[in-house]
Amino acid sequence: MGDKKRAATSKKILPKVSDAKKAEATKCTRPAATPKKPASKAKQKAPESRCADGTAAEVRRVIIGGYSIAAWYPSPYPDEYKQGGDLYICQRCLKYMRYRHTLEDHRCADPFPRGRPIYEDASTVLHEVDGKEHVLYCQNMCLLSKLFLDQKTIYYDIGNFLFYVLLVKSTESIESQYAFAGYFSKEKTSIDRNNLACILVLPPFRGQSYGQLMIEISYELTKIEQTTGGPEQPLSSQGFHSYRSYWRRAIVQTLLGESATAAAHVLRNEYSLKGHSHDWERSQRVFSLSRLALLTGIRIEDVLFTLDDLGLLEFWRGRHIVCIADETLHRVIAEHRINLNLRADPTGMVLGREDCHPASDSSMELDSNDSDRSSDSGDGD
C-alpha cells in the first residue's frame, strides 16, 4: 500500500518523459538574438565640418564689392569653403572663393550686367536674368541670399524662375560701374498669381527704400502683363508691413487720380438705380473691386484687405463697392500717415508690353473669375 502511494506521488511530481522532451526541443529551437550589423559606409552620415574650437563650421562673413558683411543664417556652401569663416565673392559673377588673394587674382570675363534691362533711374538699374539660361549665376545668388534670409529654401531648382537683379550705380569703385545690392525673383508661371517669390537687399544697402522699389517694379511688370498678382505667402512680419504700406499708397493714389465721378456712374446706371436714394457728392468716385485690382495690379483679396483696413469698403445691393469723397481720402491719408511718393521713377521702366513675359492661361482665367465674382456677387475672396 505504501509502495502504491509513493508511486502515485512520484507520478505527480516527476514530469512525463514526452513533456520533458518537448520542453528540451523548444529550448533548443528558440532562435538566438542576431547581432546588429554595423551600418554600411554608404548610409553612415558624413561627419559634420567643425572649427578648431569644436563648433560647426559656417560662413560667418562675406566680402563682396568692398563691403565686409556679417552672415545672419547658415547657407549650404560646400564644407571646404566654410573652414575659415570668411567667404570672398565676386560681385560680377557671384562666384565664391576661400582666400582674399584668390579674389584679387580673379579676372571675371562674364558679361556684366547680364540679362536684359528692365528699369533704370539716376542711381539704380534692374536687369532680368533667366534662371534657365544663367544657372550658375542664379545658384550663387541663392546661396548668397540664404546667408540673410531665414526661410529661403530654393538653391538649385531655379530653371522656372526669373531673377531681377538690383544694381546700384557706383561712383567710388574704379573696378566696377555697378554694385550688387539685391534682387527679387518670381516664378515664370504661377498658379497662385505670385509676382514675387523672394526678395533680398544686402545689409549695406538697407534703409534706402530699395525693397520698396523692387515691390513697386514687381507690380509694374504685373500691370504690363494686364493681370493681377501679389507676393508668395506666407509673408514675414517685415514683408507684411512693406506690402501693406505699398497697397495703401497704390490704392489711395488710384482712388484720388481717377476721374469717374458718382454722378457719371448714376447716369450710366439710371435705370438700375431707380427707387434708391443716395446723397451722392460730386467729388465721389465709384469703383468695382475688379476695376481697382486691374488699375493697380493688386490681387482682389489684397485690395479687399486694404480697403477694409482703411475703412473704405462699402457693401451695397449685394456688391462690394468703393464710393467715397475726396475729403474722406484726405482724412484717411492723414490718419494713417500714408506717403504718396513712389520710390520708382515713372519714366524708368524700359520694358514694353511686347517685351514682357505673357501671363499664363491659368492666371488669366483666375483674373476673369475674380472679375465675374466682383461684378456679380461682390465676393472678392
Side-chain angles (χ1 to χ4, degrees):
M1 191 72 179
D3 294 339
K4 288 183 179 180
K5 287 182 179 179
R6 283 195 296 270
T9 305
S10 303
K11 187 176 181 181
K12 290 179 181 179
I13 295 174
L14 297 177
K16 294 180 180 180
V17 176
S18 57
D19 293 340
K21 288 183 178 180
K22 287 179 181 179
E24 186 67 19
T26 304
K27 183 177 179 181
C28 295
T29 56
R30 183 178 298 167
T34 55
K36 292 183 179 180
K37 295 182 180 179
S40 61
K41 292 184 178 180
K43 293 183 179 180
Q44 288 178 351
K45 188 178 180 180
E48 190 178 28
S49 178
R50 294 187 173 273
C51 300
D53 59 359
T55 59
E58 292 294 347
V59 176
R60 305 189 185 280
R61 186 176 63 159
V62 291
I63 293 87
I64 177 172
Y67 294 97
S68 177
I69 312 170
W72 297 355
Y73 304 102
S75 181
Y77 283 101
D79 287 342
E80 59 268 25
Y81 287 88
K82 301 177 182 179
Q83 298 299 324
D86 290 350
L87 201 63
Y88 298 86
I89 297 178
C90 171
Q91 69 173 348
R92 293 173 60 92
C93 61
L94 300 182
K95 290 179 181 176
Y96 47 89
M97 308 159 209
R98 295 176 61 182
Y99 306 108
R100 182 183 295 275
H101 67 81
T102 308
L103 178 61
E104 293 172 348
D105 295 339
H106 175 66
R107 296 293 178 265
C108 186
D110 293 345
F112 183 77
R114 65 183 68 203
R116 59 175 180 168
I118 298 295
Y119 170 87
E120 181 172 5
D121 60 26
S123 61
T124 57
V125 295
L126 202 77
H127 279 238
E128 181 189 79
V129 180
D130 192 328
K132 190 174 183 180
E133 296 178 5
H134 303 272
V135 178
L136 184 59
Y137 178 79
C138 295
Q139 286 178 351
N140 290 339
M141 189 156 43
C142 290
L143 287 171
L144 173 61
S145 68
K146 185 62 184 75
L147 293 172
F148 307 101
L149 299 175
D150 186 22
Q151 299 178 351
K152 174 76 177 172
T153 56
I154 296 177
Y155 315 113
Y156 302 108
D157 184 19
I158 42 84
N160 295 324
F161 287 82
L162 295 170
F163 294 80
Y164 295 88
V165 183
L166 177 68
L167 304 172
V168 175
K169 295 180 181 179
S170 175
T171 57
E172 300 177 358
S173 175
I174 302 176
E175 299 178 358
S176 178
Q177 181 184 358
Y178 301 104
F180 177 85
Y183 78 97
F184 77 88
S185 62
K186 73 171 185 177
E187 291 180 274
K188 294 177 181 177
T189 302
S190 173
I191 297 176
D192 297 324
R193 294 168 296 154
N194 297 326
N195 62 8
L196 188 146
C198 177
I199 184 169
L200 168 74
V201 179
L202 289 180
F205 299 96
R206 298 197 173 191
Q208 303 178 56
S209 302
Y210 288 131
Q212 199 65 42
L213 171 65
M214 289 191 281
I215 289 175
E216 291 177 11
I217 292 176
S218 71
Y219 277 104
E220 287 299 319
L221 293 172
T222 301
K223 287 189 283 186
I224 290 175
E225 294 171 356
Q226 296 183 297
T227 182
T228 61
E232 185 177 293
Q233 300 291 338
L235 288 172
S236 65
S237 176
Q238 182 180 358
F240 169 74
H241 287 294
S242 297
Y243 269 94
R244 184 176 66 173
S245 175
Y246 173 76
W247 293 335
R248 286 178 171 181
R249 180 166 60 251
I251 289 174
V252 169
Q253 277 187 332
T254 303
L255 292 174
L256 282 172
E258 280 294 294
S259 60
T261 63
H265 180 81
V266 170
L267 289 175
R268 287 196 303 270
N269 300 275
E270 183 176 0
Y271 179 78
S272 60
L273 292 173
K274 282 184 177 180
H276 297 273
S277 59
H278 296 274
D279 296 328
W280 300 99
E281 298 181 25
R282 295 191 62 82
S283 61
Q284 282 181 324
R285 313 191 191 285
V286 181
F287 291 85
S288 68
L289 292 179
S290 57
R291 173 172 171 75
L292 196 52
L294 288 174
L295 286 172
T296 60
I298 302 173
R299 282 185 298 221
I300 285 185
E301 51 265 38
D302 297 329
V303 172
L304 265 172
F305 164 79
T306 306
L307 291 173
D308 187 55
D309 185 40
L310 295 176
L312 299 178
L313 191 62
E314 304 234 351
F315 194 77
W316 176 64
R317 296 190 66 196
R319 295 177 58 188
H320 280 109
I321 63 168
V322 185
C323 181
I324 51 180
D326 287 346
E327 293 78 7
T328 306
L329 286 175
H330 291 302
R331 176 180 55 79
V332 166
I333 292 169
E335 287 180 356
H336 295 274
R337 299 180 181 180
I338 300 174
N339 181 7
L340 295 178
N341 296 323
L342 291 172
R343 175 59 178 84
D345 183 349
T347 63
M349 292 296 294
V350 295
L351 183 70
R353 183 173 299 169
E354 64 280 359
D355 302 321
C356 199
H357 292 275
S360 64
D361 294 337
S362 59
S363 169
M364 294 302 291
E365 183 179 351
L366 284 169
D367 287 339
S368 175
N369 291 339
D370 281 340
S371 177
D372 292 341
R373 289 201 305 267
S374 174
S375 299
D376 296 337
S377 64
D379 185 5
D381 290 333

